[in-house]
Amino acid sequence: MAKLHQPPVQELYAMILSHVQERISLSPDEQQFFCSLLKARQLLPRQYLVQEGEICRFESYVCRGLLRSFYLDREGNDHTLHFAMEDWWISDSASFIRQLPASRHVVALEPSIVLQLDKPSLELLYKEVPAFERFWRILHENATIAQDQRILNSITMTGAERYAEFLQKYPGIAARMPQKYIASYLGISSVFLSRIRGGVRKK
């Protein structure tokens, strides 16, 4: 499959700056400094952003495409942990923050373009533009809330209810991500998800 056409880098910068400035305010000089720390990377489908056992070196903002993080257990079973589409961030946070071997894989499902920020650059950003401390706190707070809700849903909702909420929360994603990965993310089997989807189509 051919590579995704990469827009001009200034267009990529405009995307991430819009994302950031929804949460914090930056002066023109701060915007320029932030962009100077970013590196663009293209990924082909099935190309890894992070592999288990290596150290996650970057926080990655998705400009184009779709990525998935997953864990392989000892029996070789694949467990989808997270996914990230346009205007989302993805990494192995524990590996990135502590600079320890990653516990998961992060792979592209589509041709993708990400803007990456490494840990030394992030530390420099905190020093030079303190507002970014607040930006990452907001991201991490939202991620924690979402993760807590996902755990609660797994306890209180049926598989069908979790799938319905997934479709409502992420409209269009079902057409982009294979059914087996959605089933894994929801904690149900692909066969059961097929039955759920069959029931939805009959209504």
Side-chain angles (χ1 to χ4, degrees), residues 163 179 182-183 186 188-198:
Y163 180 60
Q179 178 174 306
I182 297 174
L186 296 174
I188 59 179
S189 70
S190 294
V191 172
F192 186 49
L193 180 55
S194 292
R195 291 174 183 167
I196 294 171
R197 296 178 71 173

Side-chain angles (χ1 to χ4, degrees), residues 56 59 92-100 119 123 140:
C56 179
E59 290 277 9
D92 181 326
S93 295
S95 174
F96 178 80
I97 292 169
R98 298 176 180 174
Q99 292 295 281
L100 296 173
K119 189 169 177 61
E123 294 297 335
H140 290 155

Side-chain angles (χ1 to χ4, degrees), residues 4-144:
L4 181 66
H5 171 69
Q6 181 170 316
V9 69
Q10 293 303 323
E11 184 176 327
L12 302 181
Y13 290 162
M15 293 172 63
I16 196 170
L17 285 171
S18 175
H19 167 84
V20 169
Q21 294 193 114
E22 288 177 0
R23 296 157 179 86
I24 59 173
S25 297
L26 298 176
S27 70
D29 285 346
E30 289 170 338
Q31 293 177 38
Q32 185 175 4
F33 178 69
F34 171 54
C35 291
S36 73
L37 301 175
L38 300 169
K39 296 178 181 178
R41 181 180 176 187
Q42 286 201 12
L43 296 160
L44 294 173
R46 298 182 296 279
Q47 185 174 351
Y48 284 90
L49 184 70
V50 180
Q51 288 187 278
E52 181 183 355
E54 69 181 26
I55 294 174
C56 179
R57 305 287 182 187
F58 301 95
E59 290 277 9
S60 297
Y61 171 80
V62 183
C63 298
R64 296 281 190 277
L66 179 66
L67 295 97
R68 178 179 77 106
S69 73
F70 66 97
Y71 171 73
L72 283 177
D73 64 25
R74 293 180 180 179
E75 288 72 44
N77 299 311
D78 180 321
H79 303 271
T80 299
L81 302 174
H82 302 284
F83 58 91
M85 50 191 171
E86 293 84 1
D87 204 37
W88 291 21
W89 293 83
I90 193 165
S91 71
D92 181 326
S93 295
S95 174
F96 178 80
I97 292 169
R98 298 176 180 174
Q99 292 295 281
L100 296 173
S103 62
R104 67 200 65 188
H105 302 274
V106 180
V107 67
L109 298 179
E110 300 174 354
S112 301
I113 300 172
V114 298
L115 286 173
Q116 297 188 299
L117 187 69
D118 63 23
K119 189 169 177 61
S121 295
L122 180 58
E123 294 297 335
L124 181 61
L125 191 61
Y126 287 158
K127 179 181 178 182
E128 299 296 331
V129 189
F132 271 99
E133 293 267 10
R134 180 170 182 269
F135 171 75
W136 251 275
R137 176 173 58 80
I138 291 170
L139 290 189
H140 290 155
E141 285 176 352
N142 290 341
T144 298

